[in-house]
Amino acid sequence: MSNEKLDPAPGGDSAGTLQVALRSDMGKVRTENQDFGLVVTPTQCGPAGGFLMIVADGMGGHRGGARASRLAGETVRDRFLEARPD
């Protein structure tokens, strides 16, 4: 899926970095990979900062599973980004 090297939040501890890799395999039986993953970095969150990492598993090959896992992950991300920092 992706491999990213993420820097800490602005103004935060610059002593380390976080390396994130998202990888998925549909196996030998399925014809579609229904898994979904994403990472939200502090720079995407604005002043509140923070990380969000989501993994949404597919539905075992059921129809619409790829769409369902993507919708679940994007909905959680959107709510996270809309949340007030206080």
Side-chain angles (χ1 to χ4, degrees):
M1 295 174 122
S2 74
N3 187 0
E4 299 181 44
K5 186 173 181 179
L6 308 172
D7 292 322
D13 180 11
S14 61
T17 58
L18 176 65
Q19 291 189 7
V20 176
L22 300 171
R23 182 176 175 180
S24 182
D25 186 324
M26 71 179 164
K28 297 178 182 178
V29 177
R30 309 276 182 242
T31 58
E32 174 187 45
N33 188 342
Q34 296 184 342
D35 300 338
F36 179 78
L38 64 79
V39 176
V40 175
T41 64
T43 55
Q44 294 170 301
C45 294
F51 284 97
L52 175 67
M53 297 174 201
I54 296 174
V55 175
D57 196 15
M59 296 176 21
H62 292 282
R63 188 171 150 191
R67 185 169 187 256
S69 62
R70 176 174 290 278
L71 181 60
E74 289 175 347
T75 299
V76 171
R77 177 203 58 207
D78 294 347
R79 297 304 176 268
F80 176 78
L81 292 173
E82 290 170 1
R84 294 172 44 118
D86 58 346

